[in-house]
Amino acid sequence: MTGTTHIVRFSVVLSLVLVSAQALAWGPRAQRTITGMAIQVIQQKYPDTFRPGESKYGVDVLRGTEAGAPVIAEMLPINSEAEAIQAVGIQIQLLRDLRPFGAGSYFAFRMGALSALISDVLLPYGLAWTPEEKALQQKIQKDIDEHLTEYGYTNRSVKLMPILDVTHHFHAQQAFYGDNRLLIADDYRRGVGYDGFLRESSKSYFSKAVSSVSGAWFTIVRPQPVVTNSPITNTLMEQYFVDEIAYLLGEKSNFYQAGVAYENLASLAPTDPRIFEQVGDHYYAFGTRASIERSVKEWRNAHSLGGPNRDRVAGKLSAHYLKEGRKFLAEAEKKGRGETELPSALGSFQQALRFDRTSEIAAELIQETNRLKKARDERREMIVNIIASAASTREEAENQATGGSYGNAILSYRQALEILAAVDDEFTDQFNEMNQMRQSIARSIGTAISDILEQASGAIEEGENAEELHKWEDAIKAYERVAVIVSAIPNDSNASALEDKKTAIESARAKKDGVDDARRRYESSNAGTATTRAPSARTAPASGGDSGGGRQRPGKR
């Protein structure tokens, strides 16, 4: 491709810029256009730049461009053109040194911010310091945005060169730069504005900006060793990773990748408590349970390291624990809760007071939580005692049932149920224990009723046996006992038990009524047998005389 004319397609770049501008509103359109053109240039040499694998970071680059120089100014002073040029050199070396840690979305974002700074340095009044310059800057940016379709970029060599000395590079690019600024300012003062010197010269600066941005990116991404005159400190690298965590959480909502960035930060073994405080701030703002836990850990690290901001960190920790404690209190008010929530709330408020000894709110909440905990403990003790009393009554019922006193057993079981009625669902474990006991008692009552019905059946069988032996009075007594036996079954028992009770009574009554009939039949039968046997007895002597001494002896007719 060397020696071939390469024209950046402005329509494609402008469409990308306009799409980005709808979602992101930072920085002038001209800067975003330069960035879009530079993306095409660098991708001619390295196609995977800003789109490694399945990932696409073009939007992140443009987002960084829109955020602009202030992103870099948070780390480095930019109060003059000289400082701005120096910041460019430091950013180039910083991003190159950090590239082995991963060229992800935030790396692309910082590349975009670098593009904006380079554009600002090269464009007339891209950097403004006085109110007059800032007013002129706004006019220039507005006019350039309105004429963007006139701009393009042609690179005949397509040979990217690394920027090893930023001061030398920009001085070469800014030939007659001061004079051009004066001419442009004069045109605007005279009312000529954009139609003066700026119309043609700005196109040249656009080309230089695209070339410089591409060259800076090339310096960063090329695999060959590069030596610049901008040494990088651990402090800058640490701050980069802190900002990467903020970007991944705030813009990308990517908790996992933020964790990767955190590991990169940890590999530098930072000792500045401000680093831990900032990391804690970013994780806390993310708002998930896991991120808040990480945040508190980082704040506690910052607090333990001391420093001038120790009291501020302590205030953040105290506020967090107050918030957590109030959540636990709110949960404790719900039914079935409070066993762990109140102690947790108390622990949180104690932590809040630990980090802020002057917090009257924390002290008051500790007292209120202790009061609530004491009242709850008393209510729980009462419920425990109620269940224990019911258990004792149930044990008494079981002893009665074992002794065969089923009626008394049922009464005792029912008394135990009445005691358990006082247990509500405030304490889940006790409520569950109460329900289990109620179910057990209900089964025991059912067993007792079955035993009663078994006794009734035994009495009926005893009556039937007595009838077979013709012991009529014993049979009647056995049948009469049935009504007494089943009377132990309460009249408000379930329908099945009441039906069985009724059946037993009716069966015993019917059998009792049948005893007299059976006795009469039995006695009548015996009487008939006796009558039949009586004549035989009276004729027996004649018969006997005939056959014995009454027989005529032969010869006596």
Side-chain angles (χ1 to χ4, degrees), residues 125-173:
Y125 294 97
L127 296 173
W129 315 108
T130 67
E132 293 78 11
E133 289 179 345
K134 290 178 181 179
L136 180 57
Q137 180 191 60
Q138 292 179 357
K139 294 178 182 179
I140 292 173
Q141 290 175 349
K142 178 177 180 295
D143 289 337
I144 289 176
D145 282 348
E146 292 176 353
H147 293 84
L148 279 177
T149 55
E150 301 173 9
Y151 291 76
Y153 174 71
T154 301
N155 187 335
R156 293 187 179 277
S157 66
V158 195
K159 185 177 181 180
L160 295 169
M161 296 296 293
I163 300 175
L164 305 180
D165 187 328
V166 291
T167 302
H168 174 76
H169 173 82
F170 282 106
H171 284 173
Q173 296 292 318

Side-chain angles (χ1 to χ4, degrees), residues 400-414:
Q400 291 169 336
T402 301
S405 182
Y406 300 115
N408 290 331
I410 291 175
L411 291 176
S412 296
Y413 281 133
R414 289 196 158 201

Side-chain angles (χ1 to χ4, degrees), residues 191-202:
V192 178
Y194 180 81
D195 291 328
F197 182 78
L198 184 60
R199 177 178 287 276
E200 296 303 323
S201 63
S202 59

Side-chain angles (χ1 to χ4, degrees), residues 388-402 412-413 416 441:
S389 176
S392 176
T393 304
R394 180 183 64 175
E395 184 178 359
E396 180 181 348
E398 289 172 347
N399 292 334
Q400 291 169 336
T402 301
S412 296
Y413 281 133
I441 290 174

Side-chain angles (χ1 to χ4, degrees), residues 341-353:
E341 287 79 6
L342 284 175
S344 296
L346 183 61
S348 294
F349 295 140
Q350 289 170 342
Q351 286 292 324
L353 189 61

Side-chain angles (χ1 to χ4, degrees), residues 344-365:
S344 296
L346 183 61
S348 294
F349 295 140
Q350 289 170 342
Q351 286 292 324
L353 189 61
R354 173 195 166 196
F355 286 105
D356 184 2
R357 293 294 182 182
T358 65
S359 176
E360 295 181 0
I361 295 176
E364 291 173 358
L365 287 171

Side-chain angles (χ1 to χ4, degrees), residues 190-317:
R190 291 186 298 108
V192 178
Y194 180 81
D195 291 328
F197 182 78
L198 184 60
R199 177 178 287 276
E200 296 303 323
S201 63
S202 59
K203 296 174 184 178
S204 171
Y205 280 109
F206 252 71
S207 294
K208 290 180 180 181
V210 174
S211 180
S212 294
V213 171
S214 303
W217 287 353
F218 174 66
T219 309
I220 294 167
V221 302
R222 70 195 297 260
Q224 294 85 352
V226 173
V227 179
T228 69
N229 58 357
S230 302
I232 302 302
T233 64
N234 262 23
T235 300
L236 287 174
M237 296 180 73
E238 290 170 2
Q239 189 59 53
Y240 173 91
F241 287 126
V242 170
D243 294 340
E244 182 176 19
I245 291 170
Y247 184 80
L248 291 169
L249 292 175
E251 293 293 340
K252 311 298 286 186
S253 296
N254 195 328
F255 184 78
Y256 172 77
Q257 282 301 128
V260 174
Y262 180 86
E263 293 301 320
N264 291 334
L265 172 63
S267 70
L268 301 177
T271 58
D272 188 342
R274 292 173 297 180
I275 293 295
F276 295 101
E277 180 186 3
Q278 290 179 59
V279 171
D281 292 346
H282 298 320
Y283 272 108
Y284 203 82
F286 192 63
T288 66
R289 190 68 206 172
S291 70
I292 289 174
E293 289 176 358
R294 169 63 65 83
S295 170
V296 172
K297 176 184 175 182
E298 300 308 314
W299 282 343
R300 292 177 78 103
N301 285 339
H303 186 266
S304 65
L305 290 172
N309 298 330
R310 191 171 190 266
D311 289 343
R312 183 175 67 193
V313 175
K316 293 176 181 180
L317 285 165

Side-chain angles (χ1 to χ4, degrees), residues 542-556:
S543 220
D546 291 343
S547 61
R551 244 189 336 194
Q552 292 180 358
R553 295 190 180 118
K556 274 182 128 174

